[in-house]
Amino acid sequence: MSTPFDDRLYNLLPSIYRQCDSEVGEPLRALLAVIAEQVNAVEQDMTALYDNWFIETCADWVVPYIGELIGYRALHTAAVPAAQSAPRAAGRARILYPRRDVANTLRYRRRKGALSLLDDLATTVSGWPAHAVEFAGLIAATQSLKHPRPGRGGTADVRHAHTMERVNSVSDITAHLVDLRRPQSRYRTGRYSIAALGLFVWRLRSYPVIRSKAYCVEEVAPECFTFSVLGNDCPLFDAAADPGSARAQAAAARPVMLRRADVAMPDGRVEPRYYGAGRSFALWTDSEANAPIAVDKLVVADLSAWLAEPRSGTVAIDPETGRVAFARGEAPEHGLVVSYHYGFPADIGGGAYVRPMPSWVPPRASTTAGIAPVARYGVGSDGDFHTLQEALHAWHKDKPACAIIELMANEVYGDAVRIVLEAAQSLEIRAAAEICPVIRLLDLQANRPDFMAISGEARSRLVLDGLLVTGRGLQIKGELSQLTIRHCTLVPGWDVDRPVNPNEAQTSPSLSLVKTRTRVNIEHSILGPMVITSDDPEQEPLQVSISDSIVDARVARHEALGASDGGFAHAVLTIARCTVFGIVRVNAVSLAENCIFNDGIEVERIHLGCVRFCYVPARARTPRRYECQPDTAVAKLRGDERESARRRLIPMFNSTRYGTPTYCQLAQGCAPEIAQGADDESEMGVFHDLYQPQRMANLLARLDEYVPADADAGIIIAI
């Protein structure tokens, strides 16, 4: 096919010249097309130059220059590693030079000293919702009858649960004794002093799940449900409302974990502002109904032990555990459908968020008629098929060279999944934006395993994007060329509440590669153990690449990645910005960087590859290491100091259980060598790209500049 010319200059010539040019093969047209291409480039550069005059429209690289013109003081000055990719370097630059902070510099300087400024400042600098509190008003003091101050902290009402639950929180209204420790103390922070000012920040994000099926806890009672489709406890989070004032909008944007006292009114019923379609949570007893259950039928109860039994005609809600209970004998006939918000630190795993477009696009097959289009199969009420199985049958029947199956609803697909790709065939199974479909692989067949079986011939490729797979794992066989898993969750241990046997050698692998040459790429995902079975150790090892993901073996010192017999997996591993619970046993590691290997790593070929800026426990067998912990910290120590430093550097997490809001998030007490130990001074592990140390440093620097006179400010992590 001929390349189209840009004729914007050619069309300006008189027709006689164009006619003469066409008679000799149009060489002049080709020359002017080349010149027009350069004219377009100059024109675009001139247009971009005008846009770069303004902070709202300028390119990212111009932001520091505009900041220099207005005297903006740069915050974090760490250099970007040379090996960092362009997109990730740009993302990091946006953290170090916040566009909104540069744009609002002059306005903030005029408001310097105002308490309300700190809320806006924290959001623009760090991206975290924040709220400033002056602790002087919460110090116990005897008031004068001539000058009463009803807004000061009062005596705690121990009979009122709502008041007691708010103690030491952002909404505390009780009086406290004077605390002489400073809010920024490196040992133990204090709060309640005359000059103390606390800035509460929320680091978690609130993600919506729209009209998903609830899980019926039949082992307890048919009237008991959980909001989470996996059956685990899932604390509910508040959703952003639509209030009027800007300060109220900032308050509504905070990802607050709901408590029973917050949701309940004095009579025990649910506060209407939290309930309904588009709000924090809602319930439907009929998936086809538009109106949810009436709010006056809902009561707040403690269902942590399933002991509370609602009265007939009412429904009990427990926002702290994400549980629902109907009255005895009143379980919904057509099941329960729910909408709610859950919390998590970042866009990792299968979730209800907007995923970026994949970097890999299925190649279009060339035919005699030209380029074959990509076949698309929609699954859902707005699609062509109702189930994933129907779409797979149609795909097998049509046999297109390239195809995309898109799941368009928050449904649970319980059919057995068998995918067989022919030679040079490509398939992508993905979820629509802000949709989190669940593939539940049940124990349906007694005479064979119920894995999600995937096989393919030479040059075939498969992409899984945005899926949540539970009940079983994936099994890969055949000559499949490439498997890409993006933004997926292969539930560790197959089920959240499934008990594990510490004596078992293998604990429910999420991904099994059996006698295959498949190249595996895993990005922004959560999965359990990976098992690789090879029948010919003389062949080249498999290529396994994992980035920005969590690999969780669920049992300490068990294999997170290894062979079926407990030995070394016949694979070459490339891993970056990951958190691994369990032992990694592989043939070789080409590169491991900014990772946390919580239980260790053992490599067969230690002369190949490099491990850099990682946490690797003592006595691990690895290739050469560079700036790894605890090696770097204990290099100059001896005796008891060496052992004490090793214990101090063990990573600390807020939670290591999948399904909790703070899963794999580093705790505040984690050693700075881990929390700031990556090659760009960010944290090691899966949440590296959040750049939380840089955000915290930026926020502390701005607090010193903008806090009211003589105030002593500190940052308090609310959640």
Side-chain angles (χ1 to χ4, degrees):
M1 297 179 62
S2 61
T3 303
F5 290 110
D6 187 346
D7 293 335
R8 59 177 301 190
L9 298 180
Y10 186 73
N11 292 333
L12 298 176
L13 293 176
S15 59
I16 184 63
Y17 294 111
R18 285 180 285 171
Q19 183 178 354
C20 295
D21 183 55
S22 63
E23 293 175 356
V24 294
E26 298 185 334
L28 181 59
R29 183 187 180 191
L31 174 62
L32 291 179
V34 175
I35 298 175
E37 183 179 350
Q38 300 305 313
V39 171
N40 292 337
V42 173
E43 198 172 60
Q44 292 174 2
D45 187 67
M46 294 174 62
T47 303
L49 181 62
Y50 179 79
D51 293 338
N52 288 339
W53 289 352
F54 308 98
I55 188 64
E56 294 86 357
T57 57
C58 69
D60 289 339
W61 65 268
V62 184
V63 174
Y65 293 91
I66 296 179
E68 187 69 21
L69 290 175
I70 62 174
Y72 177 82
R73 182 168 59 89
L75 301 177
H76 202 280
T77 57
V80 178
Q84 198 171 59
S85 62
R88 294 185 58 249
R92 184 176 182 273
R94 285 191 290 270
I95 297 296
L96 301 185
Y97 297 94
R99 183 186 297 265
R100 289 179 297 179
D101 192 26
V102 175
N104 294 324
T105 296
L106 299 181
R107 184 168 66 93
Y108 287 165
R109 287 173 181 169
R110 296 189 185 104
R111 297 173 58 198
K112 182 176 180 179
L115 185 65
S116 60
L117 164 66
L118 299 182
D119 295 5
D120 299 337
L121 183 72
T123 303
T124 56
V125 171
S126 66
W128 294 327
H131 180 65
V133 175
E134 290 182 304
F135 291 121
L138 297 177
I139 298 177
T142 302
Q143 298 195 34
S144 172
L145 295 178
K146 297 181 180 180
H147 189 141
R149 288 173 288 178
R152 293 188 62 90
T155 305
D157 186 358
V158 296
R159 296 168 296 181
H160 198 276
H162 185 46
T163 302
M164 298 309 299
E165 286 186 0
R166 286 160 45 173
V167 172
N168 289 331
S169 70
V170 67
S171 55
D172 190 0
I173 59 174
T174 58
H176 298 261
L177 298 178
V178 175
D179 189 350
L180 298 181
R181 293 168 297 194
R182 299 176 63 248
Q184 295 186 25
S185 173
R186 55 183 294 188
Y187 301 104
R188 187 173 180 181
T189 60
R191 297 190 184 184
Y192 305 100
S193 62
I194 295 177
L197 187 151
L199 187 66
F200 289 82
V201 297
W202 286 262
R203 297 185 300 173
L204 294 185
R205 304 179 186 179
S206 180
Y207 295 92
V209 177
I210 308 300
R211 296 188 75 107
S212 174
K213 291 184 178 179
Y215 181 86
C216 181
V217 190
E218 294 183 276
E219 57 269 23
V220 177
E223 296 83 14
C224 298
F225 295 84
T226 62
F227 277 86
S228 172
V229 71
L230 300 178
N232 62 298
D233 288 347
C234 178
L236 305 186
F237 278 67
D238 197 3
D242 189 18
S245 65
R247 192 169 178 84
Q249 287 181 352
R254 301 169 194 157
V256 177
M257 188 183 301
L258 297 179
R259 297 174 298 184
R260 301 183 188 100
D262 296 329
V263 180
M265 294 193 298
D267 60 354
R269 297 187 181 274
V270 171
E271 175 68 45
R273 78 176 188 88
Y274 291 105
Y275 182 77
R279 299 186 180 178
S280 298
F281 61 93
L283 295 86
W284 291 265
T285 55
D286 188 350
S287 59
E288 303 297 331
N290 293 324
I293 299 175
V295 67
D296 56 3
K297 295 183 178 180
L298 304 181
V299 295
V300 179
D302 183 359
L303 300 177
S304 56
W306 296 111
L307 297 179
E309 185 175 339
R311 293 179 299 176
S312 178
T314 62
V315 181
I317 302 288
D318 187 353
E320 295 185 12
T321 60
R323 295 182 176 185
V324 182
F326 289 81
R328 188 178 300 274
E330 297 183 5
E333 182 180 354
H334 301 287
L336 182 65
V337 177
V338 296
S339 292
Y340 65 100
H341 290 71
Y342 69 94
F344 201 64
D347 300 345
I348 303 292
Y353 53 85
V354 178
R355 292 171 291 277
M357 291 298 293
S359 57
W360 174 80
V361 178
R364 297 187 177 186
S366 299
T367 64
T368 56
I371 304 298
V374 176
R376 298 180 181 272
Y377 303 86
V379 180
S381 57
D382 298 331
D384 301 324
F385 305 94
H386 295 288
T387 65
L388 175 60
Q389 196 67 29
E390 293 177 1
L392 287 173
H393 281 315
W395 170 74
H396 278 293
K397 181 180 178 181
D398 298 340
K399 296 183 179 180
C402 304
I404 295 176
I405 298 177
E406 187 172 51
L407 308 180
M408 306 168 66
N410 287 316
E411 285 290 338
V412 178
Y413 302 96
D415 298 332
V417 179
R418 310 282 175 182
I419 302 174
V420 180
L421 293 96
E422 298 182 353
Q425 195 175 22
S426 300
L427 174 64
E428 178 178 356
I429 303 177
R430 71 186 185 193
E434 299 185 1
I435 296 298
C436 183
V438 177
I439 299 178
R440 188 186 298 278
L441 303 174
L442 304 175
D443 190 6
L444 298 175
Q445 303 176 17
N447 61 343
R448 60 178 178 176
D450 290 285
F451 286 103
M452 182 174 176
I454 301 170
S455 62
E457 299 182 11
R459 305 189 310 281
S460 58
R461 296 193 280 186
L462 175 67
V463 176
L464 303 178
D465 187 357
L467 307 180
L468 193 153
V469 182
T470 182
R472 294 292 184 276
L474 276 62
Q475 187 179 76
I476 314 299
K477 291 184 177 182
E479 299 298 324
L480 183 70
S481 174
Q482 181 174 335
L483 171 67
T484 301
I485 301 176
R486 303 178 61 254
H487 293 278
C488 290
T489 296
L490 311 180
V491 176
W494 295 354
D495 196 352
V496 176
D497 295 325
R498 180 184 179 186
V500 294
N501 185 0
N503 298 321
E504 292 180 355
Q506 298 293 339
T507 57
S508 309
S510 290
L511 183 61
S512 301
L513 294 100
V514 181
K515 301 177 182 179
T516 181
R517 309 298 309 152
T518 304
R519 180 185 179 91
V520 180
N521 296 321
I522 300 173
E523 308 167 5
H524 298 88
S525 297
I526 301 173
L527 66 157
M530 298 174 56
V531 176
I532 298 176
T533 303
S534 176
D535 59 347
D536 188 1
E538 299 298 328
Q539 290 185 345
E540 285 295 318
L542 273 65
Q543 299 293 323
V544 178
S545 175
I546 309 176
S547 62
D548 304 286
S549 299
I550 301 171
V551 183
D552 188 359
R554 294 190 66 191
V555 180
R557 306 300 299 172
H558 276 221
E559 287 79 7
L561 173 56
S564 56
D565 57 358
F568 293 94
H570 194 58
V572 176
L573 176 64
T574 302
I575 184 168
R577 303 173 302 279
C578 292
T579 300
V580 182
F581 296 109
I583 301 176
V584 175
R585 290 194 176 99
V586 291
N587 180 267
V589 172
S590 61
L591 176 64
E593 62 178 1
N594 300 330
C595 293
I596 296 178
F597 297 99
N598 196 67
D599 295 318
I601 178 172
E602 298 178 6
V603 179
E604 194 171 20
R605 298 161 59 191
I606 60 174
H607 62 278
L608 175 67
C610 175
V611 178
R612 57 191 299 270
F613 296 96
C614 294
Y615 171 79
V616 181
R619 294 183 294 276
R621 177 184 170 90
T622 67
R624 58 191 178 93
R625 305 179 198 172
Y626 177 74
E627 295 294 332
C628 290
Q629 299 295 349
D631 297 350
T632 303
V634 304
K636 298 181 181 180
L637 301 179
R638 294 292 182 270
D640 294 340
E641 292 182 351
R642 190 182 185 96
E643 188 61 29
S644 176
R646 282 196 180 123
R647 289 195 299 268
R648 181 180 64 85
L649 290 170
I650 295 176
M652 299 171 60
F653 300 93
N654 288 329
S655 174
T656 58
R657 180 175 176 80
Y658 170 73
T660 55
T662 57
Y663 178 53
C664 282
Q665 185 185 57
L666 291 179
Q668 288 183 258
C670 188
E673 291 87 347
I674 304 298
Q676 304 174 22
D679 57 353
D680 54 2
E681 299 182 18
S682 185
E683 67 181 84
M684 297 179 181
V686 65
F687 299 125
H688 167 276
D689 281 0
L690 293 179
Y691 298 109
Q692 295 190 111
Q694 287 88 342
R695 296 186 187 201
M696 188 66 70
N698 292 353
L699 191 51
L700 287 171
R702 282 291 178 259
L703 280 180
D704 291 339
E705 184 177 354
Y706 286 101
V707 294
D710 296 330
D712 191 1
I715 298 176
I716 302 172
I717 304 298
I719 189 172

